[in-house]
Structures are given as C-alpha cells and as structure tokens.
Amino acid sequence: MSVPFPFTAVVGQDDLRLALLLNAVSPAVGGVLVRGEKGTAKSTAVRALSALLPEVDVVAGCRFSCDPAKPDPVCPDGPHEPGPGTTRPSRMVELPVGASEDRLVGALDIERALAEGVKAFEPGLLADAHRGILYVDEVNLLHDHLVDLLLDAAAMGASYVEREGVSVRHAARFLLVGTMNPEEGELRPQLLDRFGLTVEVAASREPDQRVEVVRRRLAYDDDPAGFAARWADEEAAVRQRIVAARELLPSVRLGDGALRQIAATCAAFEVDGMRADIVMARTATALAAWAGRTDVLAEDVRQAALLALPHRRRRNPFDAPGLDEDKLDETLEEFGGSSEDEDPDPDPDPDGPGGGGQPPSADPEGPQGGETGARPEAGEGGEPQPSGAGAGEQSAVRAAEPFRTKVLSVPGLGEGAAGRRSRARTEHGRTTGARRPRGTLTKLHLAATVQAAAPHQRARGRSGPGLVVRRDDLRQATREGREGNLVLFVVDASGSMAARQRMSAVKGAVLSLLLDAYQRRDKVGLVTFRGSAAEVALPPTSSVDAAAARLESLPTGGRTPLAAGLLRAHEVLRVERLRDPARRALVVVVTDGRATGGPEPVALAGRAARLFAAGGVASVVVDCESGPVRLGLAGQLAGELGGTAVTLDELRADSIAGLVRDVQGTSRRAA
C-alpha cells in the first residue's frame, strides 16, 4: 500500500487545508469544492487528509460500516445487535468520472428479485464511503445525473436504490470533496450551491515557496516512508487537534450577535436561498472549535463568509467567483457593533488556518489578482479607435447585454453525452420501448420481461404462483432524453461587421448563445475569420467562459474570407469527430453573408458550405445584415449549408417569429 504525502507537508494552500480540516471537524459543513489550475496539490491534499481522520468503530462483517453503538435499524445487512465492533481506519473512496450509476449507488440482482423475491444488493461507492471521505476528481466532468445522486445522498445522509418497485436504503454520510479545473467547464449553479465550502487555489509566484514545494516532492518520491516518518509528529498533532475540536464542537455557542452578522452578510451579497446562512453558521462554529474556543467571534464569521459565499454569488458562468472583502468588512462592522461576541482583536489565531504548525503562504497575490485594465473604447463619434495590431484592424468592442435565445437543436435522434439540447437515446428519460440487454442490465422493462417469460411457464415446470424468469427473458428499457452537442461558432470579424453598434449586438447574440450552451451542457468552439485567413480562436472545450473571454477581445477589420472560415470549421469538426464520435455538432455561422478577397470568393464560399450539407452537419446562420436595403446573402449561405437562417431579432426567445426553431426544415409549415 502506497504511503500518502503528509498533509502537514503541503506547502502553502492555507485556505484549502483549512476548509478540509473544518469538514473533518464538522462533516455537517457540507464538503469542499476545490477550484484551481492543474498542478496545485488539490488531489495531494485531499488524499493526505484521510490519514488524519480518526479511526472508526464498525459492526464486524457489515458492508455498510454501521456504528456498533448505534447500528442502522434498516441496514440491508442487519438487523445488528448493539455490542462491541471492530476498528478500522477511515476510508477515502474515489469516484471515477466515467463511473456508472450502479457503481455509485449499488445494484440489485433483478433476476433474483423477480424470481425469488430476494433483495440481493451489491453495495456501491456510496456505501464504501460511509463515515469516510468520498473524493471526486474533475467533478465538473461528471455526468449530471451522477452529480445529482451524489449530492442528494450527501444532503440526506442516505442512499436509495430503486428498481421497478424493489428498493434498498442504507446510510451514506461522508465528507464530500470535489476538485475541478475551471478551464474544462463549470458546474451548474444549483450544484455549486450544494457544496458547503469552496476554495480557489493557484500556484505561488514566490520563488522561495516554489523551491520548497519541489524540494519536498523530490524527497517524498525518493523515499515515501522515510519522508512521512519525518512528518509523523506534525501529523499526530493535527490528528489530536481534530479529535479535540470534535469533542468541543457541541459546546460552542453561536450567539445572537454572530448569527445576525451571518444573516446580514448573506443578505448584503444577495445570496439566493437560506443554505448559505446555515453553512456559514456551521462553518463559524467549526472554526471556533478548531481554535479551541466555545464562542463564535467576528473573525470566525468573516472566515466562514470567505469560504462559503464566493461560489454562491455567481449569476451566470461568465461571472468570476470571489467576494468583495471591503464590503464584507463594512457589513460585519455595521452589524457587529453591539455584539457581545465580537473580539476586539481582528487578527486570527496564528495556528488556526493552516494547522499542524505550517507557515502561512507568502504569496501576496490573491485569487483575484491579475490584469484588470479596461479595453480601448470608441471615440465620441461612435467610431472604433484603431489599434496597432495591423492595417485596417479596429479595436474590440464590448458585447451587448445577453438575452434568452430560442432553442437551436440538431434534428434526428443521437446517442451522445447526456445534456439538454437535442433528442437522444439515453439512460435517463421517458421510456420508449424495450430491447435485449447488451451487457449488464441497468433499466428493467418489467412489462416486456413478463411478456417474454409468460409463454414458457409450462415448459419450465411452473407449479406455484411465482413467475419463472430466466436471464434470456430480461428486457432493457430504451429511453429517450436529451444530449449535449458541440456548438461550433463561426464568427465573421471582417470590416463589413465593424460598425460599433452592430458588432456589439453580434457579440451580445453570440454571448447569449454561449450562455444557452452552458445551460444545456454543450461543448463549444470558436472560429473567426477576417482579413485574409481564419483562425481557431478556441478549440472545442466545455469551458464556455473561456469562449466568452475570446469573444470579448475579438477585434474586427479587413476583408471577408468566408470560405476560409467555413473550411477551417470543417477541419475542426473532422478532428473532433475522431475524438468524440458520438457527440453531434451544431454549426452556428454569424455573418452578413458577404464574401470578399481572393479569386471567386462567392463561388468558393458556396463550395465550402456544401461540404457541411454533404456531411449532414446541422447548421444555422445568424443573419447580421442591417439597414433598409438587404441583399439576403445570409439566407443564400444557409441554403448552401442545408440549414436555416435567423435574424438577430428572431434569435430572441421572446420574439413573435415563432417558438422553437429546429435547424433544418422547421421554416416550412403548413399554412
């Protein structure tokens, strides 16, 4: 068995270590979501925490880790008689991104349940993690239905498995820790809210601290056991401190003054719902216990706000997480003046945040550090000011306010990753039929199974009321739901689009479509064309905020190489089809339809567009042409693509042009 890297040997990352320790003290805090770039010790710190957790007493032979002092009365392995049990270390269970639903919650033997009436249940990872840690690396890449099951179990402290009227319930209380790299996509806001605390981590820019990180890692790789032994005393001290804080926790008093500060802070930052207030209260209480106090002070409330509120303030994926600390201090001061709980010394306990005698981070840069300069603006006359990037190029303009768009979907029935855009065969959704199972049976179609078994009852010697069911009789339910697509934006950034108000409206429309793609769990890509060439501004990714940032900085100017843009988009789709063949694509071309530059630009653009039509690629053209005289070139391009065209006004969900527009054939309706 490999020796984990010592928790107390992690350099810096004080907020991360503090958030993990607070959950170890009080699992009711609700877990931790760790956001940060790759290579920042996210996984190392989480795996190291498991070695610090106290050992647990369990009922001997129970697969669900029941506490012998208070056994679960409905445990599937029970009932258990109270009595002495066995002691084992706390577990850390990892949930793979590609895990199935049965692997997470467990599975019932449907054949035995139907034929014998026996609840033969094979526990899943939730049962293994009971009274320990459940760790999900890259939680933002986990399928939505698995995240829902995971967070429901974490909130209720129990897992329910139901298959056609046969159900099993078992306790599932664990410390939930998820890590993610925001560059690979965001979690939905309602899922973000289910994590108690969040921490932003980044690599230090302090050379001395980086040197220490490398030195410790190399020493651990050379001799893991010897390195861990050198940190054994610090590990033991933190372990004892966790035990002491757990024992002190029930005695900690959350006074009215501190509670009023918590409520005022959540109201000041306009946090939705009441979960934030509850999490802040539990976190502040855990902070006091960790510091060895029985009273919650203002400093505890402040630290709790910094850990519990940033991820709850986001209104859309383009908002940067974070908290205005000046506003936080003003709120605490305003509502804490008469509090008898307030500590006149604002400095926190020097041993509190990091634990284990670890020095605080020397990195002066916070998670919101970096470049914040505004983009160049246009002059008084409304014309964009030229930038120095090249001849004919004009500076980027800000996007107009986003709006709710119509649903653009891919026709037909796909089999791609679960999402919310186009129709697809999925594991979840409405039942549309039955088939023989391919591999493990996951969703039983009961009526079809009974119908398949019924004609063979006499031949199988049935003599009693029970139905004789064989494996060949089992039928898998086929279901129809929604899939996520690859939405590839092909944006015209040429001089014909460069009028300030026009380009602002175009960017606002694309931003609106990006927001829609985020909500529907799509991958997105961005191809732009202007001057004499096209470029892939953003390869296909799940990070729509990265696409929004590239769009915001997009300059305009030059000729309109429409054919080059389409050919580059076609190549992007070809490569992506090799990587993810099940995910269907939707190409959104944002242009006025003009094609200039080079020999026969219009004919070449037409030939490039017909490549999409020949390949059956779903497409839509957002017509950006404006003015009293319209040439209708965007509509002609849509015809060549085999798709449809919509104007910027028709793209709005509240327009009177229609309700839901499919990208092929929906413009033809009976009068």
Side-chain angles (χ1 to χ4, degrees), residues 623-658:
D623 185 359
C624 302
E625 192 174 25
S626 61
V629 178
R630 297 175 180 256
L631 302 178
L633 298 176
Q636 296 177 24
L637 175 63
E640 298 279 4
L641 288 166
T644 188
V646 295
T647 66
L648 290 174
D649 289 337
E650 291 172 339
L651 192 61
R652 292 179 177 272
D654 55 357
S655 71
I656 60 174

PDB file of all heavy atoms in Angstrom, residues 623-658:
ATOM      1  N   ASP A 623     -28.149  35.863 -39.278  1.00  0.00           N
ATOM      2  CA  ASP A 623     -28.052  36.930 -40.276  1.00  0.00           C
ATOM      3  C   ASP A 623     -27.837  38.268 -39.574  1.00  0.00           C
ATOM      4  O   ASP A 623     -28.718  38.757 -38.860  1.00  0.00           O
ATOM      5  CB  ASP A 623     -29.329  36.952 -41.118  1.00  0.00           C
ATOM      6  CG  ASP A 623     -29.254  37.954 -42.261  1.00  0.00           C
ATOM      7  OD1 ASP A 623     -28.220  38.646 -42.382  1.00  0.00           O
ATOM      8  OD2 ASP A 623     -30.236  38.046 -43.023  1.00  0.00           O
ATOM      9  N   CYS A 624     -26.663  38.847 -39.770  1.00  0.00           N
ATOM     10  CA  CYS A 624     -26.313  40.111 -39.113  1.00  0.00           C
ATOM     11  C   CYS A 624     -26.471  41.305 -40.041  1.00  0.00           C
ATOM     12  O   CYS A 624     -26.040  42.419 -39.694  1.00  0.00           O
ATOM     13  CB  CYS A 624     -24.874  40.052 -38.614  1.00  0.00           C
ATOM     14  SG  CYS A 624     -24.572  38.708 -37.462  1.00  0.00           S
ATOM     15  N   GLU A 625     -27.061  41.105 -41.204  1.00  0.00           N
ATOM     16  CA  GLU A 625     -27.234  42.212 -42.151  1.00  0.00           C
ATOM     17  C   GLU A 625     -28.209  43.236 -41.572  1.00  0.00           C
ATOM     18  O   GLU A 625     -29.219  42.876 -40.961  1.00  0.00           O
ATOM     19  CB  GLU A 625     -27.759  41.683 -43.483  1.00  0.00           C
ATOM     20  CG  GLU A 625     -27.697  42.707 -44.598  1.00  0.00           C
ATOM     21  CD  GLU A 625     -28.086  42.119 -45.943  1.00  0.00           C
ATOM     22  OE1 GLU A 625     -28.829  41.118 -45.967  1.00  0.00           O
ATOM     23  OE2 GLU A 625     -27.649  42.660 -46.966  1.00  0.00           O
ATOM     24  N   SER A 626     -27.895  44.511 -41.757  1.00  0.00           N
ATOM     25  CA  SER A 626     -28.738  45.578 -41.234  1.00  0.00           C
ATOM     26  C   SER A 626     -28.933  46.638 -42.299  1.00  0.00           C
ATOM     27  O   SER A 626     -28.269  46.622 -43.345  1.00  0.00           O
ATOM     28  CB  SER A 626     -28.100  46.195 -39.973  1.00  0.00           C
ATOM     29  OG  SER A 626     -26.836  46.748 -40.279  1.00  0.00           O
ATOM     30  N   GLY A 627     -29.833  47.575 -42.038  1.00  0.00           N
ATOM     31  CA  GLY A 627     -30.101  48.649 -42.985  1.00  0.00           C
ATOM     32  C   GLY A 627     -31.382  48.428 -43.748  1.00  0.00           C
ATOM     33  O   GLY A 627     -31.951  47.321 -43.770  1.00  0.00           O
ATOM     34  N   PRO A 628     -31.867  49.471 -44.418  1.00  0.00           N
ATOM     35  CA  PRO A 628     -33.144  49.362 -45.151  1.00  0.00           C
ATOM     36  C   PRO A 628     -33.062  48.458 -46.368  1.00  0.00           C
ATOM     37  O   PRO A 628     -34.053  47.860 -46.778  1.00  0.00           O
ATOM     38  CB  PRO A 628     -33.441  50.817 -45.535  1.00  0.00           C
ATOM     39  CG  PRO A 628     -32.104  51.491 -45.560  1.00  0.00           C
ATOM     40  CD  PRO A 628     -31.293  50.833 -44.497  1.00  0.00           C
ATOM     41  N   VAL A 629     -31.889  48.343 -46.994  1.00  0.00           N
ATOM     42  CA  VAL A 629     -31.725  47.511 -48.191  1.00  0.00           C
ATOM     43  C   VAL A 629     -30.939  46.266 -47.798  1.00  0.00           C
ATOM     44  O   VAL A 629     -29.801  46.364 -47.345  1.00  0.00           O
ATOM     45  CB  VAL A 629     -30.995  48.273 -49.309  1.00  0.00           C
ATOM     46  CG1 VAL A 629     -30.807  47.366 -50.520  1.00  0.00           C
ATOM     47  CG2 VAL A 629     -31.747  49.533 -49.686  1.00  0.00           C
ATOM     48  N   ARG A 630     -31.530  45.108 -47.974  1.00  0.00           N
ATOM     49  CA  ARG A 630     -30.889  43.848 -47.597  1.00  0.00           C
ATOM     50  C   ARG A 630     -30.671  42.986 -48.831  1.00  0.00           C
ATOM     51  O   ARG A 630     -31.578  42.840 -49.668  1.00  0.00           O
ATOM     52  CB  ARG A 630     -31.733  43.096 -46.569  1.00  0.00           C
ATOM     53  CG  ARG A 630     -31.883  43.860 -45.235  1.00  0.00           C
ATOM     54  CD  ARG A 630     -32.827  43.139 -44.300  1.00  0.00           C
ATOM     55  NE  ARG A 630     -32.973  43.855 -43.042  1.00  0.00           N
ATOM     56  CZ  ARG A 630     -32.402  43.491 -41.900  1.00  0.00           C
ATOM     57  NH1 ARG A 630     -31.645  42.409 -41.875  1.00  0.00           N
ATOM     58  NH2 ARG A 630     -32.576  44.195 -40.800  1.00  0.00           N
ATOM     59  N   LEU A 631     -29.497  42.382 -48.905  1.00  0.00           N
ATOM     60  CA  LEU A 631     -29.157  41.559 -50.061  1.00  0.00           C
ATOM     61  C   LEU A 631     -29.577  40.101 -49.895  1.00  0.00           C
ATOM     62  O   LEU A 631     -29.617  39.358 -50.872  1.00  0.00           O
ATOM     63  CB  LEU A 631     -27.644  41.629 -50.309  1.00  0.00           C
ATOM     64  CG  LEU A 631     -27.070  43.038 -50.544  1.00  0.00           C
ATOM     65  CD1 LEU A 631     -25.552  42.962 -50.720  1.00  0.00           C
ATOM     66  CD2 LEU A 631     -27.721  43.675 -51.763  1.00  0.00           C
ATOM     67  N   GLY A 632     -29.843  39.668 -48.692  1.00  0.00           N
ATOM     68  CA  GLY A 632     -30.266  38.290 -48.455  1.00  0.00           C
ATOM     69  C   GLY A 632     -29.172  37.264 -48.643  1.00  0.00           C
ATOM     70  O   GLY A 632     -29.446  36.088 -48.898  1.00  0.00           O
ATOM     71  N   LEU A 633     -27.900  37.686 -48.499  1.00  0.00           N
ATOM     72  CA  LEU A 633     -26.792  36.762 -48.722  1.00  0.00           C
ATOM     73  C   LEU A 633     -26.709  35.686 -47.632  1.00  0.00           C
ATOM     74  O   LEU A 633     -26.293  34.563 -47.902  1.00  0.00           O
ATOM     75  CB  LEU A 633     -25.476  37.542 -48.779  1.00  0.00           C
ATOM     76  CG  LEU A 633     -25.372  38.566 -49.918  1.00  0.00           C
ATOM     77  CD1 LEU A 633     -24.064  39.340 -49.824  1.00  0.00           C
ATOM     78  CD2 LEU A 633     -25.477  37.866 -51.267  1.00  0.00           C
ATOM     79  N   ALA A 634     -27.081  36.029 -46.414  1.00  0.00           N
ATOM     80  CA  ALA A 634     -27.043  35.046 -45.334  1.00  0.00           C
ATOM     81  C   ALA A 634     -28.035  33.915 -45.589  1.00  0.00           C
ATOM     82  O   ALA A 634     -27.758  32.747 -45.300  1.00  0.00           O
ATOM     83  CB  ALA A 634     -27.329  35.715 -43.999  1.00  0.00           C
ATOM     84  N   GLY A 635     -29.201  34.262 -46.127  1.00  0.00           N
ATOM     85  CA  GLY A 635     -30.175  33.233 -46.457  1.00  0.00           C
ATOM     86  C   GLY A 635     -29.663  32.299 -47.544  1.00  0.00           C
ATOM     87  O   GLY A 635     -29.885  31.082 -47.493  1.00  0.00           O
ATOM     88  N   GLN A 636     -28.960  32.858 -48.545  1.00  0.00           N
ATOM     89  CA  GLN A 636     -28.373  32.019 -49.585  1.00  0.00           C
ATOM     90  C   GLN A 636     -27.314  31.082 -49.007  1.00  0.00           C
ATOM     91  O   GLN A 636     -27.222  29.912 -49.379  1.00  0.00           O
ATOM     92  CB  GLN A 636     -27.755  32.908 -50.667  1.00  0.00           C
ATOM     93  CG  GLN A 636     -28.768  33.776 -51.417  1.00  0.00           C
ATOM     94  CD  GLN A 636     -28.100  34.694 -52.422  1.00  0.00           C
ATOM     95  OE1 GLN A 636     -26.997  34.426 -52.898  1.00  0.00           O
ATOM     96  NE2 GLN A 636     -28.765  35.795 -52.755  1.00  0.00           N
ATOM     97  N   LEU A 637     -26.505  31.604 -48.074  1.00  0.00           N
ATOM     98  CA  LEU A 637     -25.492  30.771 -47.434  1.00  0.00           C
ATOM     99  C   LEU A 637     -26.147  29.633 -46.652  1.00  0.00           C
ATOM    100  O   LEU A 637     -25.680  28.487 -46.687  1.00  0.00           O
ATOM    101  CB  LEU A 637     -24.634  31.629 -46.508  1.00  0.00           C
ATOM    102  CG  LEU A 637     -23.604  30.883 -45.660  1.00  0.00           C
ATOM    103  CD1 LEU A 637     -22.573  30.194 -46.541  1.00  0.00           C
ATOM    104  CD2 LEU A 637     -22.914  31.835 -44.682  1.00  0.00           C
ATOM    105  N   ALA A 638     -27.252  29.930 -45.961  1.00  0.00           N
ATOM    106  CA  ALA A 638     -27.957  28.888 -45.213  1.00  0.00           C
ATOM    107  C   ALA A 638     -28.453  27.790 -46.141  1.00  0.00           C
ATOM    108  O   ALA A 638     -28.409  26.599 -45.803  1.00  0.00           O
ATOM    109  CB  ALA A 638     -29.111  29.497 -44.428  1.00  0.00           C
ATOM    110  N   GLY A 639     -28.920  28.181 -47.318  1.00  0.00           N
ATOM    111  CA  GLY A 639     -29.360  27.189 -48.284  1.00  0.00           C
ATOM    112  C   GLY A 639     -28.226  26.287 -48.740  1.00  0.00           C
ATOM    113  O   GLY A 639     -28.400  25.077 -48.898  1.00  0.00           O
ATOM    114  N   GLU A 640     -27.045  26.883 -48.973  1.00  0.00           N
ATOM    115  CA  GLU A 640     -25.882  26.083 -49.363  1.00  0.00           C
ATOM    116  C   GLU A 640     -25.465  25.133 -48.240  1.00  0.00           C
ATOM    117  O   GLU A 640     -25.036  24.004 -48.492  1.00  0.00           O
ATOM    118  CB  GLU A 640     -24.710  27.009 -49.703  1.00  0.00           C
ATOM    119  CG  GLU A 640     -24.959  27.947 -50.880  1.00  0.00           C
ATOM    120  CD  GLU A 640     -24.759  27.255 -52.214  1.00  0.00           C
ATOM    121  OE1 GLU A 640     -24.504  26.034 -52.218  1.00  0.00           O
ATOM    122  OE2 GLU A 640     -24.860  27.926 -53.253  1.00  0.00           O
ATOM    123  N   LEU A 641     -25.591  25.577 -46.996  1.00  0.00           N
ATOM    124  CA  LEU A 641     -25.225  24.746 -45.852  1.00  0.00           C
ATOM    125  C   LEU A 641     -26.239  23.641 -45.579  1.00  0.00           C
ATOM    126  O   LEU A 641     -25.954  22.695 -44.847  1.00  0.00           O
ATOM    127  CB  LEU A 641     -25.094  25.611 -44.595  1.00  0.00           C
ATOM    128  CG  LEU A 641     -23.878  26.528 -44.502  1.00  0.00           C
ATOM    129  CD1 LEU A 641     -24.077  27.552 -43.388  1.00  0.00           C
ATOM    130  CD2 LEU A 641     -22.613  25.719 -44.237  1.00  0.00           C
ATOM    131  N   GLY A 642     -27.442  23.784 -46.126  1.00  0.00           N
ATOM    132  CA  GLY A 642     -28.504  22.838 -45.818  1.00  0.00           C
ATOM    133  C   GLY A 642     -29.147  23.118 -44.486  1.00  0.00           C
ATOM    134  O   GLY A 642     -29.778  22.239 -43.891  1.00  0.00           O
ATOM    135  N   GLY A 643     -28.998  24.348 -43.999  1.00  0.00           N
ATOM    136  CA  GLY A 643     -29.563  24.714 -42.712  1.00  0.00           C
ATOM    137  C   GLY A 643     -30.622  25.784 -42.854  1.00  0.00           C
ATOM    138  O   GLY A 643     -31.350  25.831 -43.843  1.00  0.00           O
ATOM    139  N   THR A 644     -30.716  26.643 -41.876  1.00  0.00           N
ATOM    140  CA  THR A 644     -31.705  27.703 -41.888  1.00  0.00           C
ATOM    141  C   THR A 644     -31.055  28.988 -41.408  1.00  0.00           C
ATOM    142  O   THR A 644     -29.961  28.965 -40.825  1.00  0.00           O
ATOM    143  CB  THR A 644     -32.905  27.348 -40.988  1.00  0.00           C
ATOM    144  OG1 THR A 644     -33.931  28.302 -41.162  1.00  0.00           O
ATOM    145  CG2 THR A 644     -32.487  27.323 -39.525  1.00  0.00           C
ATOM    146  N   ALA A 645     -31.714  30.106 -41.670  1.00  0.00           N
ATOM    147  CA  ALA A 645     -31.195  31.407 -41.267  1.00  0.00           C
ATOM    148  C   ALA A 645     -32.168  32.077 -40.311  1.00  0.00           C
ATOM    149  O   ALA A 645     -33.385  31.962 -40.469  1.00  0.00           O
ATOM    150  CB  ALA A 645     -30.967  32.293 -42.496  1.00  0.00           C
ATOM    151  N   VAL A 646     -31.621  32.765 -39.313  1.00  0.00           N
ATOM    152  CA  VAL A 646     -32.423  33.559 -38.397  1.00  0.00           C
ATOM    153  C   VAL A 646     -31.771  34.924 -38.255  1.00  0.00           C
ATOM    154  O   VAL A 646     -30.552  35.052 -38.317  1.00  0.00           O
ATOM    155  CB  VAL A 646     -32.541  32.896 -37.003  1.00  0.00           C
ATOM    156  CG1 VAL A 646     -33.279  31.591 -37.069  1.00  0.00           C
ATOM    157  CG2 VAL A 646     -31.168  32.685 -36.381  1.00  0.00           C
ATOM    158  N   THR A 647     -32.570  35.943 -38.105  1.00  0.00           N
ATOM    159  CA  THR A 647     -32.031  37.270 -37.846  1.00  0.00           C
ATOM    160  C   THR A 647     -31.737  37.415 -36.358  1.00  0.00           C
ATOM    161  O   THR A 647     -32.149  36.580 -35.544  1.00  0.00           O
ATOM    162  CB  THR A 647     -33.020  38.351 -38.292  1.00  0.00           C
ATOM    163  OG1 THR A 647     -34.203  38.278 -37.462  1.00  0.00           O
ATOM    164  CG2 THR A 647     -33.414  38.167 -39.756  1.00  0.00           C
ATOM    165  N   LEU A 648     -31.039  38.482 -36.024  1.00  0.00           N
ATOM    166  CA  LEU A 648     -30.748  38.725 -34.613  1.00  0.00           C
ATOM    167  C   LEU A 648     -32.026  38.880 -33.803  1.00  0.00           C
ATOM    168  O   LEU A 648     -32.114  38.417 -32.663  1.00  0.00           O
ATOM    169  CB  LEU A 648     -29.874  39.977 -34.464  1.00  0.00           C
ATOM    170  CG  LEU A 648     -28.431  39.855 -34.964  1.00  0.00           C
ATOM    171  CD1 LEU A 648     -27.733  41.204 -34.879  1.00  0.00           C
ATOM    172  CD2 LEU A 648     -27.667  38.816 -34.157  1.00  0.00           C
ATOM    173  N   ASP A 649     -33.041  39.519 -34.397  1.00  0.00           N
ATOM    174  CA  ASP A 649     -34.305  39.684 -33.678  1.00  0.00           C
ATOM    175  C   ASP A 649     -35.021  38.349 -33.504  1.00  0.00           C
ATOM    176  O   ASP A 649     -35.614  38.085 -32.456  1.00  0.00           O
ATOM    177  CB  ASP A 649     -35.209  40.672 -34.423  1.00  0.00           C
ATOM    178  CG  ASP A 649     -34.699  42.102 -34.319  1.00  0.00           C
ATOM    179  OD1 ASP A 649     -33.949  42.388 -33.363  1.00  0.00           O
ATOM    180  OD2 ASP A 649     -35.033  42.918 -35.199  1.00  0.00           O
ATOM    181  N   GLU A 650     -34.979  37.506 -34.538  1.00  0.00           N
ATOM    182  CA  GLU A 650     -35.661  36.213 -34.459  1.00  0.00           C
ATOM    183  C   GLU A 650     -34.980  35.260 -33.482  1.00  0.00           C
ATOM    184  O   GLU A 650     -35.591  34.289 -33.030  1.00  0.00           O
ATOM    185  CB  GLU A 650     -35.717  35.560 -35.837  1.00  0.00           C
ATOM    186  CG  GLU A 650     -36.636  36.272 -36.817  1.00  0.00           C
ATOM    187  CD  GLU A 650     -36.514  35.711 -38.226  1.00  0.00           C
ATOM    188  OE1 GLU A 650     -35.485  35.075 -38.530  1.00  0.00           O
ATOM    189  OE2 GLU A 650     -37.448  35.915 -39.015  1.00  0.00           O
ATOM    190  N   LEU A 651     -33.717  35.529 -33.161  1.00  0.00           N
ATOM    191  CA  LEU A 651     -32.988  34.670 -32.250  1.00  0.00           C
ATOM    192  C   LEU A 651     -33.498  34.783 -30.817  1.00  0.00           C
ATOM    193  O   LEU A 651     -33.335  33.871 -30.006  1.00  0.00           O
ATOM    194  CB  LEU A 651     -31.498  35.029 -32.295  1.00  0.00           C
ATOM    195  CG  LEU A 651     -30.513  34.067 -31.625  1.00  0.00           C
ATOM    196  CD1 LEU A 651     -30.567  32.698 -32.284  1.00  0.00           C
ATOM    197  CD2 LEU A 651     -29.100  34.638 -31.692  1.00  0.00           C
ATOM    198  N   ARG A 652     -34.133  35.885 -30.488  1.00  0.00           N
ATOM    199  CA  ARG A 652     -34.634  36.089 -29.133  1.00  0.00           C
ATOM    200  C   ARG A 652     -35.812  35.160 -28.852  1.00  0.00           C
ATOM    201  O   ARG A 652     -36.696  34.985 -29.674  1.00  0.00           O
ATOM    202  CB  ARG A 652     -35.078  37.538 -28.934  1.00  0.00           C
ATOM    203  CG  ARG A 652     -33.928  38.532 -28.962  1.00  0.00           C
ATOM    204  CD  ARG A 652     -34.443  39.950 -28.778  1.00  0.00           C
ATOM    205  NE  ARG A 652     -33.362  40.911 -28.730  1.00  0.00           N
ATOM    206  CZ  ARG A 652     -32.712  41.271 -27.624  1.00  0.00           C
ATOM    207  NH1 ARG A 652     -33.077  40.746 -26.457  1.00  0.00           N
ATOM    208  NH2 ARG A 652     -31.732  42.148 -27.663  1.00  0.00           N
ATOM    209  N   ALA A 653     -35.824  34.593 -27.667  1.00  0.00           N
ATOM    210  CA  ALA A 653     -36.890  33.663 -27.300  1.00  0.00           C
ATOM    211  C   ALA A 653     -38.233  34.360 -27.178  1.00  0.00           C
ATOM    212  O   ALA A 653     -39.280  33.731 -27.331  1.00  0.00           O
ATOM    213  CB  ALA A 653     -36.549  32.968 -25.986  1.00  0.00           C
ATOM    214  N   ASP A 654     -38.233  35.663 -26.898  1.00  0.00           N
ATOM    215  CA  ASP A 654     -39.492  36.382 -26.697  1.00  0.00           C
ATOM    216  C   ASP A 654     -39.960  37.099 -27.956  1.00  0.00           C
ATOM    217  O   ASP A 654     -40.868  37.910 -27.906  1.00  0.00           O
ATOM    218  CB  ASP A 654     -39.355  37.393 -25.559  1.00  0.00           C
ATOM    219  CG  ASP A 654     -38.187  38.357 -25.784  1.00  0.00           C
ATOM    220  OD1 ASP A 654     -37.470  38.192 -26.790  1.00  0.00           O
ATOM    221  OD2 ASP A 654     -37.995  39.252 -24.938  1.00  0.00           O
ATOM    222  N   SER A 655     -39.328  36.794 -29.108  1.00  0.00           N
ATOM    223  CA  SER A 655     -39.789  37.424 -30.346  1.00  0.00           C
ATOM    224  C   SER A 655     -41.060  36.740 -30.824  1.00  0.00           C
ATOM    225  O   SER A 655     -41.397  35.635 -30.421  1.00  0.00           O
ATOM    226  CB  SER A 655     -38.708  37.329 -31.430  1.00  0.00           C
ATOM    227  OG  SER A 655     -38.585  35.992 -31.887  1.00  0.00           O
ATOM    228  N   ILE A 656     -41.779  37.384 -31.734  1.00  0.00           N
ATOM    229  CA  ILE A 656     -43.050  36.839 -32.219  1.00  0.00           C
ATOM    230  C   ILE A 656     -42.859  36.022 -33.485  1.00  0.00           C
ATOM    231  O   ILE A 656     -43.823  35.626 -34.128  1.00  0.00           O
ATOM    232  CB  ILE A 656     -44.050  37.987 -32.495  1.00  0.00           C
ATOM    233  CG1 ILE A 656     -43.490  38.938 -33.566  1.00  0.00           C
ATOM    234  CG2 ILE A 656     -44.370  38.741 -31.226  1.00  0.00           C
ATOM    235  CD1 ILE A 656     -44.479  40.006 -33.988  1.00  0.00           C
ATOM    236  N   ALA A 657     -41.589  35.720 -33.843  1.00  0.00           N
ATOM    237  CA  ALA A 657     -41.336  34.982 -35.080  1.00  0.00           C
ATOM    238  C   ALA A 657     -41.676  33.506 -34.943  1.00  0.00           C
ATOM    239  O   ALA A 657     -41.823  32.812 -35.929  1.00  0.00           O
ATOM    240  CB  ALA A 657     -39.872  35.132 -35.491  1.00  0.00           C
ATOM    241  N   GLY A 658     -41.785  32.992 -33.736  1.00  0.00           N
ATOM    242  CA  GLY A 658     -42.098  31.578 -33.539  1.00  0.00           C
ATOM    243  C   GLY A 658     -41.672  31.155 -32.159  1.00  0.00           C
ATOM    244  O   GLY A 658     -41.223  31.964 -31.363  1.00  0.00           O
TER     245      GLY A 658
END
